[in-house]
Amino acid sequence: MAAEVKPGSMSKTAPPVNSTPFLRVDDIYLRFGGLNALSGVSFDVQQGHIQAIIGPNGAGKTCILNCICRFYQPYRGTIYFQGVDLSKVATHRVAALGIARSFQNIELFKGMTVMDNIKLGHHVHMHSGFLSGGIYLGRAKSEEMRVRKEIEERIIDLLEIEAIRKKVVGTLPYGLQKRVELARALAMKPKLLLLDEPMAGMNLEETEDMARFILDVNQEWGVTVVLIEHDMGVVMDISDNVVVLDFGTKIAQDTPLEVSKNNHVIEAYLGSDAAAHSKLGL
Amino acid sequence: MPCGLFFSKYEKDDAIFKTVWLKCWMTVLVVLLLTFPLFSQKFSEMLGLNVTNLLNLIFVYIIGAHGLNLLTGYTGQISLGHGAFMGVGAYTTGILANAGWPFWLALPAGGVMTAAVGMLFGIPSLRLRGLYLAIATMAAQFILDYAMRNWTSLTGGSSGLIVPSASLFGFTFDSDQSFYYLALAFAIMATMYLKNLARTRTGRAFVAVRDRYLSAEVIGVNLFKYRLMSFGISSFMVGIAGGLWAYYITIISDEHFTMWLSVQYLAMIIVGGLGHVLGGIFGAVFFVVLPELLRLPAEAATAVYPNIFGIFASLREMVFGLIVIMFLIFEPDGLAARWHTVRNYWKLWPFSY
Ligand SMILES: Nc1ncnc2c1ncn2[C@@H]1O[C@H](COP(=O)(O)OP(=O)(O)OP(=O)(O)O)[C@@H](O)[C@H]1O
Ligand SMILES: [Mg+2]
């Protein structure tokens, strides 16, 4: 249970909660064979922010999320979430700390219904085991009912997916699957939501919907968001702060407006031609 | 209760048999099953088979097949050791029964013992997938097989172990008819258990482990725990099947629990439908009934041409194999999947226009 740190429940020797950053990525290095995927990346994420991470293809954005989720182990450096050193947390325990994510290539359970996928997001908040679940009386049953009600009222309503909740995920179009993946992440009741290109491959309307959902979740539920996104318009609109990566190093971190004026960023991210400037909306 | 309205709505949606007609059909089925021994005699004479005996075997195999289906169909871990695991259950129960343990204690004890053995041999599943796991569990089959044959002081070796009939509350289940009710009750319990497990937290976690284990870990599913747990529950069920088998047959020997039985279990759930509750039922029925049905013409033919009995007997095996292959080709998702499509069509029968 040591991994479950609640704000305010720390012992006196630990620093007070409000002075520890919500998420601190501290000088991490990650290597694949000869390739340095990340070299010395550091940044803090403020609680309640929408933190964007941008950078060209292969810059190492997804690698950072994979390090936070404990899929990858950086060979140097540490990541702290609310003061907890994540390198000491088992992969499956990260969810219980309050970290949820979506994937660049959708990682849903394709053969299950939308509802079951979202229920799986609730896994760490449910208690029935192989005995009570198999007998399905009393506690297990009321738990299923309660969770289902909660999902219908909180998540399905919010994301406007009533119509598809009994559909098998594999049969849904791409845009809706992305939305279901967000729904599953939200069912985990996260404090920190990691989104890897949630708008990739979406049309304008779907992109706008998704941006609205992210803002809703951030503002109404107070969930901190780390957002990897290529669509600069979205990043400019909804993020509070932007980290720019290039070849595994951080080349800038600032507000969206400042970042878009930064010459290094413009050069690294988009090349130095005029078209790039117009892409950034300048 | 403030949420009473919602509660009843979800509860209705949650029921297993949703329409009135499905409920009617289920009632008919239950009544038929319960009253069956009353007219089994006539039925058996008509067909020239001991139908009650076949049903008892089906019930026992259903329990074991559900167990393997939980492991292979739901959690995605193959096992070629379930034949031997059934043996562990049978021998444990049999030995305890001989030591004077009552039925209600010896049977679960056999299940628990099998669960422990199954989990032990399931440990490689934490590292191995697919064919590699198949080989590892096959090793379990051979090791246990060897132990059952050669540990004669415990198992009686090839001369067999004599087991008393089951008795509960002073009633002894020593006939086909009485054992029928015992086996039916256990088969129903196993089916309900699997159905309920599949639709709650643990069952969903199993499927998550099967489909995408990275994604499963991200949502907080402990892979190690669920992989082992699946081996444990699965072996428990097949151990119970073994214990019931021991009480029914009343003499067990190592010949019952060979590789062939493991393969048969696997074939049952593949033909029946991996990852479907009905899969184990259809599979068990298929594998018990079909050989018997093929035996009838073979015996009839032998009566006419007695000197070529051997040919008909082996022809029977070939036809059996052929039918299994045909099913795999034409019903790759198993009988249960076919059943679901047919049922969806007839769901509202007789009003399905
Ligand atoms: N498992 C892995 N094995 C080997 N190399 C990897 C692995 N994962 C990532 N890499 C490499 O690390 C680098 C960074 O990859 P990453 O996926 O983080 O990029 P990204 O910034 O997310 O790019 P994109 O915008 O294309 O998603 C790439 O060169 C990639 O090839
Ligand atoms: Mg990426």
Side-chain angles (χ1 to χ4, degrees):
Chain A
M1 287 295 115
E4 264 177 2
V5 176
K6 293 195 192 87
S9 69
M10 285 190 207
S11 67
K12 283 192 187 100
T13 51
V17 180
N18 49 14
S19 81
T20 47
F22 190 66
L23 178 76
R24 162 164 287 176
V25 175
D26 190 11
D27 199 28
I28 58 171
Y29 289 77
L30 181 72
R31 189 155 52 194
F32 295 105
L35 173 87
N36 287 311
L38 295 172
S39 4
V41 175
S42 305
F43 60 91
D44 285 356
V45 178
Q46 302 294 316
Q47 183 157 17
H49 269 191
I50 295 181
Q51 172 73 55
I53 301 179
I54 64 170
N57 288 345
K61 305 180 296 291
T62 301
C63 284
I64 290 190
L65 295 202
N66 283 339
C67 288
I68 298 174
C69 290
R70 305 279 297 120
F71 283 161
Y72 295 163
Q73 173 78 53
Y75 71 90
R76 240 181 80 187
T78 329
I79 301 173
Y80 299 97
F81 175 65
Q82 294 191 313
V84 177
D85 177 355
L86 287 181
S87 68
K88 301 205 165 62
V89 179
T91 312
H92 71 270
R93 299 281 311 158
V94 171
L97 288 181
I99 300 179
R101 79 173 281 185
S102 73
F103 292 83
Q104 190 166 352
N105 312 305
I106 301 167
E107 293 276 343
L108 286 165
F109 306 105
K110 296 246 158 60
M112 288 191 206
T113 63
V114 169
M115 188 46 120
D116 278 344
N117 266 278
I118 303 175
K119 275 185 179 172
L120 261 165
H122 247 81
H123 181 83
V124 293
H125 300 294
M126 296 176 79
H127 304 284
S128 78
F130 68 92
L131 281 179
S132 57
I135 295 163
Y136 203 65
L137 289 171
R139 214 184 59 179
K141 183 167 183 173
S142 61
E143 183 179 68
E144 286 293 319
M145 299 295 142
R146 178 177 57 74
V147 163
R148 174 142 179 220
K149 179 170 181 293
E150 204 176 313
I151 289 173
E152 300 242 2
E153 289 176 356
R154 285 180 73 234
I155 296 167
I156 292 194
D157 270 8
L158 178 80
L159 299 185
E160 299 160 9
I161 46 178
E162 294 87 349
I164 56 162
R165 65 196 196 279
K166 286 183 182 167
K167 291 246 163 71
V168 173
V169 163
T171 64
L172 296 174
Y174 181 82
L176 279 180
Q177 291 197 18
K178 282 258 172 196
R179 211 183 275 193
V180 175
E181 204 180 21
L182 177 64
R184 186 182 67 185
L186 291 181
M188 295 165 68
K189 304 182 188 168
K191 298 174 196 151
L192 176 64
L193 183 59
L194 312 170
L195 300 174
D196 199 344
E197 306 198 13
M199 286 96 163
M202 286 186 163
N203 63 31
L204 188 64
E205 194 192 335
E206 288 171 324
T207 303
E208 281 174 355
D209 281 342
M210 186 59 91
R212 182 160 53 83
F213 297 143
I214 295 171
L215 272 177
D216 279 352
V217 169
N218 174 250
Q219 286 168 359
E220 286 171 26
W221 298 8
V223 177
T224 309
V225 179
V226 172
L227 171 71
I228 297 177
E229 187 48 58
H230 277 300
D231 186 326
M232 288 308 293
V234 171
V235 171
M236 295 295 147
D237 278 352
I238 69 173
S239 66
D240 297 295
N241 189 278
V242 184
V243 165
V244 189
L245 289 182
D246 192 22
F247 291 113
T249 54
K250 184 174 93 172
I251 58 169
Q253 174 169 20
D254 218 324
T255 60
L257 190 64
E258 290 302 318
V259 159
S260 67
K261 290 182 194 154
N262 184 318
N263 281 329
H264 290 295
V265 176
I266 295 168
E267 203 155 312
Y269 190 58
L270 296 158
S272 52
D273 56 351
H277 288 243
S278 64
K279 259 192 183 171
L280 275 175
L282 298 174
Chain B
M1 205 182 306
C3 55
L5 205 73
F6 282 100
F7 221 72
S8 64
K9 177 182 130 203
Y10 293 137
E11 228 159 43
K12 218 173 264 167
D13 209 22
D14 188 58
I16 297 179
F17 307 113
K18 291 195 184 78
T19 69
V20 179
W21 281 100
L22 262 178
K23 279 192 187 115
C24 289
W25 287 120
M26 278 316 293
T27 319
V28 170
L29 181 67
V30 167
V31 169
L32 272 181
L33 282 172
L34 286 180
T35 55
F36 179 78
L38 298 181
F39 46 90
S40 65
Q41 197 70 34
K42 277 213 187 90
F43 211 52
S44 300
E45 275 165 19
M46 208 168 73
L47 288 173
L49 301 163
N50 182 348
V51 181
T52 319
N53 168 253
L54 289 188
L55 281 170
N56 289 347
L57 293 182
I58 288 174
F59 294 150
V60 170
Y61 280 126
I62 283 177
I63 302 168
H66 278 336
L68 185 61
N69 208 353
L70 179 74
L71 182 72
T72 306
Y74 285 88
T75 323
Q77 310 190 107
I78 198 166
S79 166
L80 279 172
H82 268 53
F85 293 162
M86 185 174 178
V88 172
Y91 277 110
T92 311
T93 306
I95 290 164
L96 292 176
N98 281 331
W101 288 41
F103 170 80
W104 61 269
L105 254 180
L107 189 72
V112 169
M113 180 70 181
T114 315
V117 171
M119 278 161 85
L120 183 71
F121 285 106
I123 288 175
S125 73
L126 305 181
R127 290 255 171 270
L128 303 179
R129 292 292 101 74
L131 279 178
Y132 297 92
L133 185 59
I135 301 297
T137 49
M138 200 166 83
Q141 169 73 43
F142 289 137
I143 293 169
L144 292 170
D145 213 355
Y146 183 84
M148 284 188 263
R149 188 162 32 253
N150 293 303
W151 196 348
T152 43
S153 59
L154 203 63
T155 66
S158 48
S159 53
L161 181 78
I162 295 176
V163 182
S165 288
S167 72
L168 203 57
F169 309 121
F171 184 85
T172 307
F173 298 87
D174 54 0
S175 66
D176 280 346
Q177 268 74 12
S178 57
F179 189 82
Y180 173 93
Y181 287 106
L182 192 67
L184 175 65
F186 274 92
I188 289 177
M189 277 195 282
T191 306
M192 298 282 286
Y193 177 77
L194 184 64
K195 173 80 193 166
N196 285 330
L197 194 70
R199 60 185 178 147
T200 49
R201 178 173 177 262
T202 311
R204 282 193 299 268
F206 285 153
V207 178
V209 170
R210 177 193 73 191
D211 284 354
R212 275 174 192 275
Y213 49 91
L214 277 186
S215 211
E217 257 191 320
V218 166
I219 54 172
V221 173
N222 182 346
L223 295 183
F224 280 22
K225 176 175 150 190
Y226 281 95
R227 287 207 176 109
L228 265 195
M229 192 199 276
S230 179
F231 260 98
I233 301 172
S234 171
S235 311
F236 181 86
M237 289 173 84
V238 86
I240 293 289
L244 280 175
W245 164 280
Y247 276 118
Y248 182 46
I249 305 293
T250 64
I251 173 157
I252 49 175
S253 80
D254 60 293
E255 287 157 32
H256 293 306
F257 310 113
T258 56
M259 188 70 206
W260 168 232
L261 182 59
S262 291
V263 172
Q264 254 189 316
Y265 266 129
L266 212 52
M268 269 184 218
I269 58 168
I270 293 172
V271 168
L274 285 167
H276 288 281
V277 174
L278 288 173
I281 299 177
F282 287 147
V285 171
F286 185 96
F287 272 79
V288 173
V289 169
L290 189 63
E292 288 302 320
L293 290 185
L294 290 175
R295 200 166 55 86
L296 294 179
E299 273 173 4
T302 311
V304 185
Y305 310 103
N307 44 348
I308 48 174
F309 171 77
I311 296 181
F312 284 116
S314 55
L315 210 59
R316 193 186 115 204
E317 303 279 314
M318 279 165 61
V319 171
F320 181 70
L322 203 67
I323 292 178
V324 171
I325 292 172
M326 301 273 274
F327 261 95
L328 292 184
I329 293 173
F330 294 110
E331 294 288 341
D333 296 331
L335 293 168
R338 166 66 40 184
W339 167 260
H340 281 296
T341 37
V342 171
R343 197 197 56 182
N344 282 344
Y345 179 74
W346 289 107
K347 209 167 197 170
L348 300 172
W349 192 86
F351 307 111
S352 61
Y353 38 81

